[in-house]
Amino acid sequence: MSWTPDELVAFVGRVLYEVVGRGLTLDFAFQRVKRGWRRLDSFKVFYDVSFDAVKHYFLLRYLAAKLLGSSGAKAVARAWFIYRADAVLYNRDMVARYRKRLLKRARGSPEEALLSVEELRGDPVRYLSTKYSYHPSIVEALLSNLPREEVERILEAGNATWIWLRINTLRADVDKALKMLEGEAEVEPHPAIPFAVLLRSSRRPVQYLTAVREFVAVPQDLASIYAVLSLRPSPGDRVIDLAAAPGMKTSLIAQLAEGRAKIVAVEFSTKRVYRMKRLLKLLGAADQVEVVRADSRRLRTRRFDKALLDAPCTSSGAFTKEPATKIYPRLEEAARYSRLQRELLVNALTLADEVVYAVCSILPQEGEEVVAAVGGRAEKPHPDLAPSYRGGVGGRTFPHIHRSEAFFISRVTPS
Ligand SMILES: C[S@@+](CC[C@H](N)C(=O)[O-])C[C@H]1O[C@@H](n2cnc3c(N)ncnc32)[C@H](O)[C@@H]1O
């Protein structure tokens, strides 16, 4: 082993400080701390532990305060070691020895501290926020829209990480892709979506799988796949994707239309336009897509059969992928996003006969309320989706039902 547990705990304490103190995403925080660190053969363990510590931050902070008398980043990193090291590190002897050392300074037993979480039950927001490690505002938002038992199931399932792979049939057929994956990973096919598989285990990080490096399989969350399935792209369709970069959904539209749709992909950010052009080429979709840099709020162009509006949003539904959103959900930005989403959707309805509107958000302000405000006819676009918070105006995906991120998806037609 090329690192010591002291060093691991110090590293994770720094990452937590960057995420909690400076509001960085996990990857930014990790890279920042790594840059100032001595060289290691591999930082993989440090990354996995940082990810796990950020994911369980609120519970660990509570336990650190109870057990170690401090809720600072370093104490939280120590609490990670006491409670979570067994689940992530392989070297059992080292874990047991270091844990014992940490517990010498403890104010009680770790089991008692953990049990004391149950004493918070009378305050549902604090209890669920601590037990499952979510910012209280996420718990509050969910509790004001769903029954408590369901909220608890969402929060619990949201602590798992689901990696879905989309077989990119523009590059290879499903059988060939599955053969490529076979030697390196164990996958579970989706029961109803033939080109989607869940990565159960893998001998290497997902981005290093041969099928992924060759763009035969691409990591894409099931919620995103449902957004595109809701559009029902078919050969001959004229489709416009109004918030398109980096082009993951655009390329799935091209795939589902079997390479025979006319697709225009619009993106506001110049930098992201370049990124999208590169990615579409790698995915084998570039010659079917016309890429345009424009503001989709004001775009005037010919009419399309279908539009996809995968709108910019708080990303508050992305907690299964980005654990920092559990600490800083930025829900206070919902009002600004909601205005932008309405403007985008109003214009989208002038451009196409039907619009699929999708957002990675748990908030009705970015979902149900947006489609209700624009005056079109809004409906649930796919039978697999769970009911929306407000009846038939759309549907939702959830981690406890779909093993996916939390999205709102609706089909809106001009009235
Ligand atoms: C949720 S992301 C889209 C992800 C993309 N659909 C995919 O699946 O790869 C939203 C995108 O909308 C872009 N955007 C924001 N405001 C826009 C506007 N007014 N017009 C066009 N694009 C905009 C953002 O730059 C961002 O790339």
Side-chain angles (χ1 to χ4, degrees):
M1 204 170 71
S2 62
W3 45 265
T4 64
D6 263 333
E7 192 181 10
L8 176 66
V9 164
F11 187 97
V12 173
R14 292 285 314 156
V15 172
L16 284 168
Y17 174 77
E18 296 291 337
V19 171
V20 178
R22 293 178 197 259
L24 298 187
T25 61
L26 171 70
D27 283 0
F28 263 106
F30 176 79
Q31 291 305 336
R32 200 180 164 118
V33 179
K34 187 180 156 198
R35 268 201 302 279
W37 215 255
R38 75 176 177 92
R39 271 179 70 98
L40 294 180
D41 291 344
S42 158
F43 275 91
K44 174 150 186 348
V45 172
F46 281 39
Y47 182 82
D48 291 349
V49 172
S50 302
F51 190 99
D52 199 70
V54 171
K55 189 198 274 186
H56 296 282
Y57 173 72
F58 286 106
L59 177 61
L60 293 171
R61 189 183 68 176
Y62 171 88
L63 295 169
K66 278 256 160 202
L67 199 63
L68 307 172
S70 162
S71 49
K74 197 140 195 206
V76 176
R78 289 194 182 112
W80 179 87
F81 204 97
I82 292 168
Y83 287 95
R84 299 282 312 160
D86 272 338
V88 181
L89 302 178
Y90 291 116
N91 188 337
R92 294 286 139 121
D93 285 349
M94 178 274 282
V95 170
R97 255 182 286 124
Y98 193 69
R99 194 168 175 266
K100 204 164 152 196
R101 212 179 101 194
L102 291 175
L103 285 172
K104 278 197 184 128
R105 287 185 243 163
R107 299 173 160 195
S109 87
E111 293 75 20
E112 267 166 19
L114 194 56
L115 269 177
S116 73
V117 175
E118 293 304 312
E119 291 163 17
L120 306 175
R121 264 184 178 279
D123 178 347
V125 173
R126 177 137 189 253
Y127 172 65
L128 294 173
S129 152
T130 309
K131 182 168 182 188
Y132 298 105
S133 280
Y134 289 81
H135 192 281
S137 64
I138 298 182
V139 177
E140 265 162 2
L142 287 169
L143 282 174
S144 45
N145 292 291
L146 294 167
R148 177 175 167 156
E149 305 72 57
E150 181 150 32
V151 172
E152 189 154 359
R153 288 209 301 276
I154 293 172
L155 299 175
E156 189 177 10
N159 280 335
T161 302
W162 315 105
I163 301 179
W164 287 93
L165 294 175
R166 183 239 298 183
I167 306 302
N168 178 19
T169 56
L170 296 170
R171 283 273 179 243
D173 63 34
V174 173
D175 286 345
K176 183 171 170 213
L178 291 179
K179 281 223 168 66
M180 276 176 91
L181 286 166
E182 220 170 59
E184 296 179 324
E186 194 194 330
V187 297
E188 175 191 320
H190 187 279
I193 306 172
F195 58 84
V197 297
L198 180 67
L199 192 64
R200 285 232 150 266
S201 65
S202 170
R203 286 215 257 133
R204 52 191 66 167
V206 61
Q207 66 272 29
Y208 296 122
L209 293 173
T210 312
V212 174
R213 286 164 70 112
E214 294 184 11
F215 296 93
V216 160
V218 279
Q220 186 167 34
D221 192 79
L222 199 60
S224 295
I225 291 177
Y226 274 122
V228 181
L229 284 175
S230 298
L231 196 68
R232 299 172 296 189
S234 29
D237 275 349
R238 291 163 306 164
V239 184
I240 187 160
D241 184 346
L242 288 161
M248 291 297 295
K249 293 187 189 68
T250 314
S251 63
L252 181 53
I253 296 172
Q255 165 173 336
L256 293 179
E258 298 161 17
R260 286 186 284 140
K262 285 207 168 10
I263 305 168
V264 174
V266 187
E267 169 60 43
F268 190 52
S269 148
T270 309
K271 214 163 118 193
R272 287 170 71 82
V273 162
Y274 283 117
R275 212 175 129 204
M276 171 159 62
K277 283 184 173 167
R278 259 200 319 274
L279 185 66
L280 290 175
K281 215 178 258 165
L282 293 167
L283 291 171
D287 52 1
Q288 297 158 53
V289 181
E290 182 190 340
V291 175
V292 175
R293 199 208 74 81
D295 182 342
S296 293
R297 287 171 296 183
R298 290 178 245 289
L299 185 69
R300 299 281 171 267
T301 175
R302 61 189 187 276
R303 230 185 139 71
F304 290 81
D305 300 312
K306 294 168 182 173
L308 176 66
L309 176 57
D310 180 33
C313 63
T314 55
S315 299
S316 54
F319 44 77
T320 57
K321 294 275 146 54
E322 171 50 73
T325 61
K326 297 176 74 194
I327 299 177
Y328 279 120
R330 305 192 196 288
L331 302 189
E332 67 285 357
E333 291 178 26
R336 179 175 70 80
Y337 277 119
S338 186
R339 277 194 299 278
L340 172 60
Q341 290 152 355
R342 284 172 207 209
E343 283 183 70
L344 285 164
L345 185 53
V346 165
N347 199 40
L349 288 166
T350 68
L351 300 176
D353 298 342
E354 62 172 80
V355 181
V356 166
Y357 173 78
V359 270
C360 180
S361 171
I362 56 164
L363 300 174
Q365 294 93 309
E366 297 186 272
E368 289 82 350
E369 290 175 17
V370 172
V371 298
V374 296
R377 202 173 77 88
E379 59 185 349
K380 184 169 120 174
H382 194 287
D384 289 359
L385 300 181
S388 80
Y389 299 151
R390 314 266 160 87
V393 297
R396 285 191 167 270
T397 62
F398 287 114
H400 68 307
I401 298 174
H402 304 92
R403 299 185 285 180
S404 71
E405 296 181 330
F407 262 57
F408 170 82
I409 309 172
S410 172
R411 180 183 303 116
V412 192
T413 38
S415 48

